[in-house]
Amino acid sequence: MGVKFLHLADVHLDTPFQVRTKDMRMFLRQAIRQAFQKAVDLAISERVHAVLIAGDLFDNQTLSFATERFMVEQMKRLYEAQIPVFYAPGNHDPAGVMYRRSLIEWPDNMKVFNTRQPETCPVYDREGRLVAWVTGAGHEGPREKDNIIKDFPRAGDADIPHIGLAHVWVTGARGEGEHDRYAPCTLEDMMDKGYTYWALGHIHTRVHLAEKPLVIYPGNLMGRHHGEEGSKGAYLVEIDDPGRVKAEFYPVAPVRWVTFKVGSLAQAKTLAELQEHVYRAVVQQLENEEQGVGTHDVIARVLLEGPCLLYSQLRLQEIGCTHEENIQVLEEYLYNALGFRYVEVVPDGLTRPVVPESYRGQPHVLGVALDILEEARSDPQVLLKLKPDILAGCPPMDTGDVIAYLQELLEGLDYEVTARLMEEMV
């Protein structure tokens, strides 16, 4: 007989976005809805027996009436398709009566696990035959500190698959350090229950924690910033009669975030040369990216790095023209040439078109100056000897604080000294 279900988590509908323009923020807000709707489309087209949502369906603090209506409409679509939904709230959408989620009127196919105490529910096929058990538990508040997995019951009938559903922080999971330690547990806590599959949420990185039983974080449904790059979506899971599990990832996010690193800019002397070099470097990196989403749906961040002859135009303020305006020219070029949805150019990694290391130890003023800077960087006593009696911007401090302040001033000074002395030599 078997069972088929869709596992998704961390949708974060109405999450606030940190991008420059209001239009882009509105676009991303709608894009998350599109991702969720595509997941519902997938569930209906695949005639799944259930949809499992492992928490953080929305952000409780920012949920709008429009998104609330949208969510209920999507659940009604699943109701009409005779697909039950099992939903275990997380730290962003807790189930307590004081939170917005508790006031939403869901259709009858929606089962919400409202407490940290686990509850087991049957899953039936369209002929009314039992095909699986789902045990779930939810967060009652935004900072759940208890291990909610430890109270999950052991699986019963070995012939019926048992599925665990929870929004938890698993010790040792890839990406755990990027998320709060809510509902902490261990992999061993789950292994001991005898379940066939664990549908988890909370970690936004897609990862398989174990194969037997299969324990999966699907990641969030759509990336929200450049810390959440790559394809995003949900898992379509099938468990056949002998208990074999097949979990296939389906990307549903209409956009993806991609970072491009561009160096070797030392030969670019004009805007045209700079544009051509950056364009070619980005295209080459695009060829290595995951397929499935066109360039028009890429939210790009281009990091410029290394020595560059146009350093002053891109990083320093010029008379009558700021570097921000110059960066915007490059962004507009890439936007039009590559058809990105959005592009941001970050010049912070650029350095002056000099290589201080090639002048160190040489018998001239520049070489001596660089050697002194290197010695001051490694020897606090040398640094203190070089300090003037009155140090601008430095209030009264103890010696340790003064040294730390001086070491901060040394950052990038070797490039500055090299550039200025080279100009004088020319």
Side-chain angles (χ1 to χ4, degrees):
M1 203 158 31
V3 62
K4 182 192 292 187
F5 59 92
L6 189 69
H7 169 204
L8 59 97
D10 299 285
V11 185
H12 289 281
L13 290 160
D14 280 352
T15 187
F17 289 97
Q18 304 300 319
V19 291
R20 293 182 195 167
T21 67
K22 179 180 179 181
D23 287 347
M24 190 61 190
R25 289 193 294 272
M26 294 303 294
F27 165 77
L28 291 171
R29 186 186 182 97
Q30 184 61 31
I32 288 189
R33 294 181 190 174
Q34 292 174 8
F36 187 68
Q37 184 168 330
K38 286 185 67 176
V40 171
D41 292 343
L42 176 63
I44 294 173
S45 65
E46 291 288 336
R47 291 179 59 82
V48 300
H49 295 104
V51 170
L52 276 59
I53 303 175
D56 286 1
L57 175 57
F58 56 88
D59 286 2
N60 203 26
Q61 306 269 343
T62 57
L63 179 63
S64 66
F65 291 146
T67 295
E68 179 180 334
R69 181 181 62 188
F70 164 79
M71 283 194 299
V72 173
E73 288 171 349
Q74 296 306 310
M75 297 309 167
K76 285 182 178 177
R77 291 181 61 210
L78 292 169
Y79 172 78
E80 292 167 359
Q82 302 179 55
I83 299 173
V85 179
F86 297 93
Y87 169 33
N91 54 291
H92 281 275
D93 53 357
V97 294
M98 69 184 70
Y99 301 108
R100 176 79 176 279
R101 197 220 53 77
S102 64
L103 302 176
I104 298 174
E105 296 183 3
W106 302 108
D108 292 339
N109 64 322
M110 187 80 163
K111 169 58 185 177
V112 182
F113 296 98
N114 281 316
T115 73
R116 68 173 65 93
Q117 291 302 315
E119 184 179 352
T120 301
C121 302
V123 181
Y124 299 101
D125 66 12
R126 288 169 178 81
E127 285 71 45
R129 294 171 296 191
L130 178 67
V131 293
W133 295 100
V134 173
T135 296
H139 292 221
E140 296 179 20
R143 292 178 175 79
E144 179 60 63
K145 297 299 183 183
D146 291 338
N147 180 349
I148 61 178
I149 297 297
K150 65 180 177 58
D151 290 330
F152 274 50
R154 289 188 56 80
D157 187 351
D159 294 332
I160 303 296
H162 205 125
I163 303 159
L165 174 65
H167 191 85
V168 295
W169 186 92
V170 180
T171 302
R174 181 160 56 93
E176 63 166 334
E178 301 168 8
H179 299 274
D180 293 316
R181 197 175 186 272
Y182 297 142
C185 65
T186 67
L187 196 55
E188 289 70 26
D189 292 331
M190 289 175 275
M191 294 295 190
D192 185 51
K193 304 298 181 180
Y195 289 14
T196 309
Y197 184 92
W198 283 92
L200 304 183
H202 189 45
I203 304 300
H204 291 188
T205 303
R206 189 168 80 247
V207 60
H208 290 209
L209 294 183
E211 297 300 321
K212 290 186 178 180
L214 193 54
V215 182
I216 289 182
Y217 279 117
N220 51 339
L221 200 66
M222 190 187 92
R224 301 174 300 165
H225 48 70
H226 283 288
E228 298 175 347
E229 296 192 347
S231 292
K232 297 288 185 176
Y235 274 90
L236 185 65
V237 184
E238 296 184 65
I239 304 173
D240 62 18
D241 279 335
R244 290 188 297 259
V245 184
K246 176 186 176 184
E248 186 175 357
F249 175 74
Y250 280 77
V252 298
V255 297
R256 60 186 166 126
W257 302 73
V258 184
T259 294
F260 303 93
K261 294 184 178 181
V262 179
S264 303
L265 295 168
Q267 302 305 314
K269 304 181 185 66
T270 66
L271 171 63
E273 291 177 353
L274 175 68
Q275 290 175 335
E276 178 67 15
H277 180 87
V278 175
Y279 172 82
R280 289 184 179 277
V282 170
V283 167
Q284 184 175 2
Q285 292 176 52
L286 268 175
E287 293 174 354
N288 299 325
E289 280 294 312
E290 298 176 78
Q291 301 301 311
V293 181
T295 58
H296 63 284
D297 288 318
V298 167
I299 300 173
R301 179 177 62 177
V302 181
L303 306 181
L304 305 183
E305 301 176 334
C308 178
L309 291 172
L310 300 175
Y311 172 89
S312 296
Q313 289 82 1
L314 297 173
R315 287 212 60 186
L316 297 180
Q317 187 169 350
E318 297 294 301
I319 297 176
C321 178
T322 64
H323 74 277
E324 285 88 355
E325 292 172 338
N326 293 335
I327 291 297
Q328 287 173 8
V329 169
L330 183 55
E331 289 173 342
E332 290 171 4
Y333 169 78
L334 294 173
Y335 176 85
N336 293 318
L338 292 165
F340 286 146
R341 171 68 63 177
Y342 182 81
V343 59
E344 176 187 15
V345 173
V346 182
D348 297 353
L350 291 177
T351 61
R352 293 182 181 277
V354 294
V355 183
E357 286 72 17
S358 63
Y359 299 100
R360 299 189 195 281
Q362 299 298 315
H364 45 57
V365 173
L366 176 55
V368 172
L370 290 172
D371 290 343
I372 292 173
L373 284 176
E374 186 63 27
E375 189 176 359
R377 186 175 285 111
S378 59
D379 188 342
Q381 296 306 315
V382 173
L383 191 58
L384 289 172
K385 288 180 181 179
L386 295 174
K387 179 184 77 69
D389 294 335
I390 299 177
L391 189 58
C394 183
M397 301 178 179
D398 60 32
T399 301
D401 290 336
V402 171
I403 291 173
Y405 178 74
L406 292 171
Q407 288 174 336
E408 288 181 9
L409 295 179
L410 288 179
E411 291 298 321
L413 194 55
D414 46 358
Y415 285 97
E416 187 73 23
V417 167
T418 302
R420 292 198 179 191
L421 286 178
M422 288 296 293
E423 289 173 1
E424 293 181 6
M425 293 167 64
V426 173

